[in-house]
Amino acid sequence: MSDTTIKIPKKLIEVALPLDAINFASAAEKQPGIGAHPRGLHLWWARRPLATARAVIFSQLVNDPGYERYLGRGVNKEKAQQERERLFRIIEKLVLWKNSNNQEILAEAQQEIWRSWRETCALNKEHPQAKELFDPAKLPSFHDPFAGGGAIPLEAQRLGLESYASDLNPVAVAINKAMIEIPSRFSGQKPVGPRVVADQDGNLIEDWSGSKGLAEDVRRYGSWVQEEAAKRIGTLYPLIEITAEMAIGRPDLTPLIGKSLTVLTWIWARTVKSPNPAFSHVDVPLVSTFILANKGDKHVFVDPIIEGDQYHFKVRIGKASGHLENGTKLARGANFKCLLSGSPIEPEYIKYQGLAGRIDSRLMAIVAEGVRGRVYLSPTSVHEKAAAQAVPKWRPETSLPTDPRNFWTVSYGLTKFGDLFSRRQLVALNTFSDLILAASEKCRDDAKMGGNSDDGISLEAGGQGATAYSQAVAVYLGFALDRLVDYGSTIATWKPSGEQVMQTFKRQSIPMTWDYPESNLLGIKAICWSKAVEYAAENLLATAPVKAASKGFAFLADAQSQSVSNMKIVSTDPPYYDNIGYADLSDFFYVWLRKSLGFVFPQLFSETAVPKKEELVANPY
């Protein structure tokens, strides 16, 4: 009678690991300046470092050299330790980010996984289900039922396992599809789009291995979207001409007189009616700082000029007086003073004005692209009118949750996701979203005209032809849009020390902001569509291996009721109950993904797919 007991050798992770090397590599991976990285495809909260995931999966799959002791056999301790040290050296190389796609190192790691798997199969060859469970010719598949940002499924795939990812959150599922499913399905695909004008005279290297062709089409159709968007909404983003009058007292502007500059950012201040009866007809600014730049020797600030019962903003070069550093703030939170009278503006008053719909905004400064860097300019009526003429046809009407721990805007009247964007931001994001569908249709037609077959099956249904491929390109364009959503809301902030726009999600919450930057989303530098597309393409290449990866699949599934885990290796990082409000926070992106990629993932982004908070936190384990 055959033995029904499954014999599993003790794994390396149960005995010892080179923790210092793993910790060092994991910390280094989080440092700025690392370059393109899978995490850059789309924001997700509490992502695991890839180095950690790679080391854990490897050590979970590789047998400890002293496993014979587990089977009741003798073992040479010295020899076993020498073998562990050899495995440690593999891990030490494997966890380095620069080696993420090093085929030689990956092959060495995969060889060890295969060796351990075949040892396990040999130990269980008499098991009655050996044929199904212990096939020495095929590694078992892998599943992470709480896939989240996708680090664990991606690294399992990189180590040679067929990888499955599932999550109850549709945004997380879309991220995992973009990381493990789409790149493996279209590996080696040549680009189908026409070369952009800038590349037509160059010598492109015709190497379309891995996801290079897919990334190139993301760039090409992203460029087409840029051109079409400029035709539709270009008037909302005017140039700014430097006049002799603007240059008075500004020697930095003298060489630019007569030139028309591209605006990078408009900086606005929210306003409320003054609580002082003498000035109750005036919208006074709520400003956290009047400092625009304090980077190195460069100092720029906004000088509020008061003239009777009115005021205007003047941008000046040099160090600001101390009282300007804190803007009109009196203390932490929503404590301000009236610019005209000095009267306190208390939080409850601002909340009352906000809930009544009386918080407005006023242009405070303009940041333009000069010959040698950023140029700061005073606001003009032309640019105020350009923003005022924006009339969005659609805005996300989904209500923000009543959760003062993570969502701070609701009590100030910003109660819906659409309220977190200016009218011009909404128009631009709507335009890009609509053009993603048009770009996908153009990509499909170009692919068919170029001789690519089309099975007519969608990406969501598992298609591999022109229809599915064109939708795959759209996914990464949709992720580029979400990058603009993150940096292009009125919750974004301006960082004077870096002269840069900081994203909405600097933390795991949506705070209330008072002065905010509005980027030129049609520009060619800083926060704009063209840079977001390039960012998406580069991070796609950093995600996908050079060689064709093992297949990957991502599903929308409740971990408590799914059956994906059957007959698979399971490794996961479970959620942290409601420590992070994944469901509510991700709705910030969900409302835009549903609009831009609903045609790609109609089941994923249907009404019934919207995650309910109680479902996510009721029984997280």
Side-chain angles (χ1 to χ4, degrees):
M1 191 171 181
S2 60
D3 185 2
T4 59
T5 302
I6 294 178
K7 301 180 179 68
I8 303 296
K10 185 169 285 189
K11 300 300 179 178
L12 182 64
I13 197 170
E14 299 179 78
V15 179
L17 287 175
L19 291 178
D20 287 344
I22 296 170
N23 290 337
F24 178 82
S26 299
E29 192 181 313
K30 291 186 174 183
Q31 296 302 312
I34 195 172
H37 189 281
R39 66 171 178 247
L41 274 180
H42 197 286
L43 174 67
W44 191 255
W45 300 270
R47 279 182 179 271
R48 301 304 92 193
L50 300 185
T52 301
R54 201 176 308 149
V56 166
I57 294 170
F58 175 83
S59 57
Q60 285 177 327
L61 296 174
V62 172
N63 299 336
D64 179 66
Y67 78 87
E68 288 91 345
R69 179 180 296 277
Y70 173 78
L71 299 175
R73 301 171 185 169
V75 63
N76 184 315
K77 293 183 179 180
E78 184 178 345
K79 183 178 179 181
Q81 184 58 34
Q82 289 174 353
E83 186 65 8
R84 286 191 197 102
E85 294 294 338
R86 185 184 68 83
L87 294 174
F88 288 175
R89 288 193 292 272
I90 293 175
I91 293 175
E92 289 165 1
K93 293 184 291 183
L94 187 65
V95 295
L96 296 177
W97 170 242
K98 67 178 182 179
N99 292 333
S100 295
N101 280 323
N102 185 310
Q103 295 304 303
E104 183 178 344
I105 292 173
L106 289 175
E108 185 179 14
Q110 291 166 8
Q111 183 179 351
E112 291 299 328
I113 293 171
W114 270 106
R115 183 179 62 80
S116 291
W117 173 242
R118 286 173 179 144
E119 287 178 349
T120 303
C121 292
L123 289 171
N124 293 278
K125 63 183 179 181
E126 301 300 328
H127 191 278
Q129 289 183 280
K131 187 175 181 180
E132 299 94 333
L133 296 176
F134 300 102
D135 182 356
K138 184 181 185 300
L139 287 174
S141 297
F142 174 92
H143 180 222
D144 180 355
F146 300 100
I152 296 173
L154 176 65
E155 293 311 313
Q157 185 183 50
R158 201 190 304 273
L159 290 173
L161 281 70
E162 186 175 78
S163 189
Y164 291 76
S166 63
D167 203 285
L168 190 56
N169 191 304
V171 177
V173 176
I175 294 171
N176 278 272
K177 283 182 176 293
M179 292 178 70
I180 68 170
E181 187 173 300
I182 296 174
S184 63
R185 192 184 305 182
F186 297 105
S187 181
Q189 168 72 47
K190 294 181 180 180
V192 301
R195 289 185 177 182
V196 298
V197 175
D199 290 336
Q200 287 180 353
D201 296 330
N203 297 316
L204 281 180
I205 299 174
E206 299 294 332
D207 173 15
W208 306 120
S209 59
S211 292
K212 292 179 182 177
L214 177 59
E216 180 61 25
D217 268 335
V218 172
R219 293 188 182 97
R220 293 182 184 185
Y221 289 101
S223 178
W224 179 84
V225 168
Q226 170 85 7
E227 294 173 3
E228 293 299 311
K231 296 174 187 177
R232 299 186 185 188
I233 59 172
T235 56
L236 295 180
Y237 296 95
L239 301 173
I240 185 165
E241 182 181 353
I242 306 302
T243 64
E245 182 181 0
M246 293 167 65
I248 296 174
R250 291 284 302 275
D252 61 312
L253 298 182
T254 302
L256 300 174
I257 293 175
K259 294 183 182 295
S260 293
L261 307 181
T262 299
V263 175
L264 297 174
T265 311
W266 294 268
I267 298 180
W268 298 82
R270 299 192 201 271
T271 62
V272 294
K273 297 292 184 184
S274 172
N276 188 307
F279 301 98
S280 60
H281 60 291
V282 183
D283 292 306
V284 294
L286 307 174
V287 182
S288 59
T289 181
F290 284 116
I291 306 300
L292 297 176
N294 57 3
K295 184 179 180 181
D297 295 331
K298 189 173 185 178
H299 297 275
V300 188
F301 66 96
V302 174
D303 188 7
I305 309 297
I306 300 172
E307 297 174 335
D309 64 350
Q310 297 297 323
Y311 66 93
H312 67 274
F313 295 122
K314 184 78 173 178
V315 171
R316 301 189 187 280
I317 304 298
K319 289 189 176 182
S321 301
H323 71 284
L324 295 176
E325 186 171 346
N326 295 323
T328 59
K329 254 184 172 296
L330 288 177
R332 290 184 61 187
N335 289 282
F336 292 88
K337 65 180 178 181
C338 171
L339 178 66
L340 302 179
S341 65
S343 301
I345 307 178
E346 297 181 346
E348 292 307 313
Y349 176 82
I350 298 174
K351 291 176 181 179
Y352 175 80
Q353 293 290 315
L355 292 171
R358 289 195 287 266
I359 291 183
D360 208 339
S361 59
R362 181 160 174 173
L363 186 60
M364 193 163 64
I366 298 172
V367 187
E369 179 65 18
V371 178
R372 297 179 180 176
R374 290 169 173 76
V375 175
Y376 294 83
L377 305 166
S378 301
T380 71
S381 59
V382 170
H383 283 261
E384 289 177 329
K385 291 177 181 176
Q389 71 180 13
V391 181
K393 296 180 180 179
W394 177 87
R395 67 174 59 229
E397 294 295 337
T398 303
S399 295
L400 288 157
T402 305
D403 175 11
R405 184 178 65 168
N406 296 311
F407 294 83
W408 305 347
T409 67
V410 176
S411 58
Y412 296 99
L414 306 182
T415 61
K416 297 180 178 180
F417 281 102
D419 297 336
L420 305 180
F421 302 88
S422 72
R423 291 188 298 171
R424 180 161 53 185
Q425 287 171 337
L426 286 170
V427 169
L429 295 172
N430 273 321
T431 301
F432 290 128
S433 179
D434 293 342
L435 285 169
I436 288 172
L437 171 59
S440 180
E441 293 173 342
K442 178 173 171 32
C443 177
R444 180 197 60 207
D445 294 342
D446 289 343
K448 292 166 70 173
M449 288 182 63
N452 290 49
S453 62
D454 188 17
D455 53 18
I457 302 175
S458 69
L459 181 71
E460 190 172 54
Q464 295 182 321
T467 295
Y469 180 72
S470 67
Q471 292 176 350
V473 172
V475 168
Y476 299 98
L477 294 180
F479 282 14
L481 177 69
D482 268 13
R483 180 169 173 80
L484 294 189
V485 170
D486 190 15
Y487 281 86
S489 81
T490 64
I491 308 302
T493 53
W494 179 256
K495 184 179 180 181
S497 61
E499 297 186 81
Q500 65 190 118
V501 175
M502 300 301 292
Q503 68 271 37
T504 298
F505 286 106
K506 295 177 289 296
R507 63 186 76 179
Q508 295 159 353
S509 63
I510 296 181
M512 184 64 187
T513 57
W514 306 107
D515 41 278
Y516 61 88
E518 182 188 12
S519 298
N520 181 353
L521 301 185
L522 276 182
I524 57 174
K525 290 190 176 183
I527 306 302
C528 60
W529 171 257
S530 60
K531 288 295 183 184
V533 168
E534 183 63 28
Y535 193 76
E538 289 178 353
N539 287 302
L540 167 57
L541 289 176
T543 300
V546 176
K547 291 185 178 180
S550 302
K551 291 182 179 179
F553 305 92
F555 303 91
L556 186 73
D558 185 338
Q560 299 176 95
S561 58
Q562 54 82 27
S563 59
V564 183
S565 295
N566 292 346
M567 308 288 284
K568 296 180 180 68
I569 293 172
V570 176
S571 184
T572 190
D573 177 33
Y576 314 116
Y577 197 61
D578 65 347
N579 186 47
I580 298 173
Y582 294 101
D584 292 334
L585 292 173
S586 63
D587 278 349
F588 179 82
F589 296 112
Y590 177 87
V591 295
W592 288 103
L593 285 172
R594 185 175 177 184
K595 177 173 174 54
S596 62
L597 297 182
F599 75 97
V600 178
F601 301 123
Q603 296 179 25
L604 190 60
F605 293 120
S606 68
E607 284 282 1
T608 56
V610 179
K612 302 296 189 295
K613 184 175 182 181
E614 58 270 22
E615 293 176 336
L616 287 174
V617 304
N619 190 350
Y621 301 110

